[in-house]
Amino acid sequence: MNTLVMISNMILPVVILLIVVIGLGRKLDVYALFIKGAEDGFQTVIKIMPTLIGLMVAVGVLRASGFFDFLSWILTPVVKYLALPAEVVPFILIKMFSSSAATGLALDLFKTYGTDSYIGTLVSLSMSSTETVFYTMSVYFMVVKITKTRYTLTGALIATASGVAASVAIALWMCG
Amino acid sequence: MMSYLWGGMIVIGIIYAAFAGNLEAVTDAAIQSAQDAVTLCITMMGVMSMWVGLMEIAKEAGIVERLSKWIGPALRFLFPNVPKGSKAEEYLSLNVIANVLGLGWAATPAGLNAMKELDGLRKQRGLTPGIATNDMCNFLILNISSLQLIPVNLIAYRSSYGSENPAGIIAPAILATLFSTVVAIVFICIVNRFCKEQRGM
């Protein structure tokens, strides 16, 4: 457990160090490059800001309406044997279709339950170990006009399920 | 599709609130959430700018290129029909590395090009158009299993919602995503052993 935290805290500094040292070794103008990239990063965030406002408002409205409580009440009997809190289920389902809508739900869960709670940890882990299955498949297959996708969906769903399962196991371990 | 999803959320939320008597809470939530989104973006601007800035150095220093060369052999094992040194292999590796480094802007174009190259290989092998080849299925499954080294966005979200240790999630997240990728690879290997390419009609 402590080792995991230690590794986590080492990764970012080590990656930054490697990049800067290699950049200097290649005699690059690392500072100018950093500034140029930072500007792009800045623009990216500005571009996603309207999306985020739209989705956070929609999720906020749903949360305040009491609909999420109703949904959890329905889902609890279904998922209570899976160690999967009913609150997280909508996030996992939406994540298969839209990454930004899922982000809206995740942020709502962070706000409601805290980032370091069991739910917060579980959402964080599932966020990084699952992908937008249906969106990705439709975009990638569309460019080559594939209509018969054969075993792709099965494999993608198995990968997603194992990502969620691993997230549950690790979150349970981290949060006791 | 986003219109239905987004519109549906708003419509369900407001109608449900009207029946549950929560309309006042909805008013506050709508305004509060819009403000929260902006606050969140301000936190994210810092983290994203830092990360993309570093990645610009990594790109110019040839690190991204070097890494994608290294994983070539590993990929050859998963895509036996992709010739060594082909364009397809180059795009596949670049897509995987860009995803690992969290470079969304580089990952998608490379991925789409990889699909086009794989479709070219399909044509060369005389397989039916419109039916995915094993390589295409394998590539998408691998892509969807989402191997990522540092989830930068997630760290930004966690820090803006008051996490004790926002970056503490890195190693556990790598474990989780590594597990789903390993499962995906095992699945691909099993399927490739038993599933022959499918031809139409």
Side-chain angles (χ1 to χ4, degrees):
Chain A
M1 179 63 233
N2 280 327
T3 338
L4 268 191
V5 175
M6 213 176 73
I7 297 174
S8 295
N9 292 333
M10 274 169 51
I11 290 178
L12 196 57
V14 169
V15 169
I16 297 178
L17 181 72
L18 276 177
I19 292 176
V20 175
V21 167
I22 295 176
L24 287 173
R26 298 264 152 90
K27 304 234 173 352
L28 294 174
D29 187 352
V30 285
Y31 184 64
L33 285 171
F34 178 85
I35 300 297
K36 179 175 165 260
E39 211 178 303
D40 291 344
F42 203 82
Q43 296 296 337
T44 312
V45 177
I46 290 188
K47 256 185 238 151
I48 63 165
M49 200 154 145
T51 320
L52 210 56
I53 294 177
L55 286 160
M56 282 180 75
V57 167
V59 173
V61 165
L62 266 183
R63 155 76 53 205
S65 74
F67 183 75
F68 280 146
D69 302 326
F70 170 68
L71 205 60
S72 304
W73 180 73
I74 293 180
L75 289 171
T76 303
V78 186
V79 295
K80 73 176 167 203
Y81 302 106
L82 296 173
L84 197 61
E87 291 83 351
V88 181
V89 176
F91 166 80
I92 291 167
L93 295 179
I94 293 281
K95 176 70 194 260
M96 295 192 203
F97 297 92
S98 157
S99 176
S100 48
T103 303
L105 288 175
L107 296 172
D108 174 68
L109 291 172
F110 286 158
K111 191 177 173 182
T112 316
Y113 300 98
T115 51
D116 303 325
S117 64
Y118 173 62
I119 290 183
T121 310
L122 177 54
V123 169
S124 302
L125 294 174
S126 347
M127 207 171 175
S128 47
S129 62
T130 59
E131 249 307 328
T132 46
V133 177
F134 294 98
Y135 173 77
T136 308
M137 276 182 63
S138 67
V139 171
Y140 278 63
F141 277 132
M142 205 149 58
V143 285
V144 287
K145 301 194 178 64
I146 296 285
T147 47
K148 280 193 113 170
T149 60
R150 299 175 60 217
Y151 59 84
T152 312
L153 185 60
T154 315
L157 290 178
I158 289 175
T160 304
S162 45
V164 173
S167 304
V168 168
I170 298 170
L172 278 174
W173 180 47
M174 287 174 72
C175 304
Chain B
M1 191 183 83
M2 273 314 283
S3 287
Y4 289 111
L5 190 59
W6 186 78
M9 284 162 94
I10 300 268
V11 171
I12 292 174
I14 293 179
I15 292 178
Y16 188 90
F19 283 104
N22 288 334
L23 275 180
E24 198 186 318
V26 166
T27 312
D28 294 341
I31 294 166
Q32 188 60 43
S33 304
Q35 288 176 7
D36 286 354
V38 176
T39 320
L40 178 72
C41 281
I42 291 173
T43 316
M44 274 184 67
M45 270 176 188
V47 181
M48 281 296 281
S49 299
M50 177 192 76
W51 188 248
V52 181
L54 285 167
M55 283 302 141
E56 185 73 28
I57 304 178
K59 197 177 66 183
E60 285 298 312
I63 297 176
V64 179
E65 224 168 80
R66 181 71 60 87
L67 285 175
S68 31
K69 279 225 175 80
W70 281 351
I71 61 151
L75 286 181
R76 227 163 287 147
F77 173 70
L78 290 175
F79 303 97
N81 298 313
V82 173
K84 188 180 170 183
S86 62
K87 273 258 178 248
E89 187 185 78
E90 192 181 307
Y91 286 130
L92 284 172
S93 333
L94 183 60
N95 174 265
V96 173
I97 288 300
N99 274 324
V100 168
L101 296 176
L103 302 169
W105 47 264
T108 310
L112 294 179
N113 282 329
M115 279 308 263
K116 285 181 198 152
E117 292 295 328
L118 290 178
D119 198 49
L121 290 175
R122 173 198 59 73
K123 209 177 278 170
Q124 275 177 27
R125 295 166 62 206
L127 296 166
T128 324
I131 300 179
T133 60
N134 281 10
D135 288 335
M136 294 180 188
C137 300
N138 298 349
F139 169 52
L140 279 186
I141 295 171
L142 190 67
N143 182 298
I144 287 170
S145 78
S146 79
L147 194 58
Q148 198 183 355
L149 181 64
I150 299 179
V152 195
N153 287 344
L154 178 61
I155 296 171
Y157 299 146
R158 288 171 57 85
S159 83
S160 82
Y161 282 97
S163 170
E164 292 272 334
N165 184 356
I169 204 72
I170 298 178
I174 291 178
L175 275 185
T177 165
L178 200 59
F179 180 73
S180 68
T181 302
V182 168
V183 170
I185 290 175
V186 170
F187 176 86
I188 291 172
C189 289
I190 295 175
V191 171
N192 279 0
R193 172 151 296 187
F194 298 107
C195 269
K196 294 282 162 272
E197 298 288 359
Q198 195 178 328
R199 285 161 201 273
M201 310 314 145

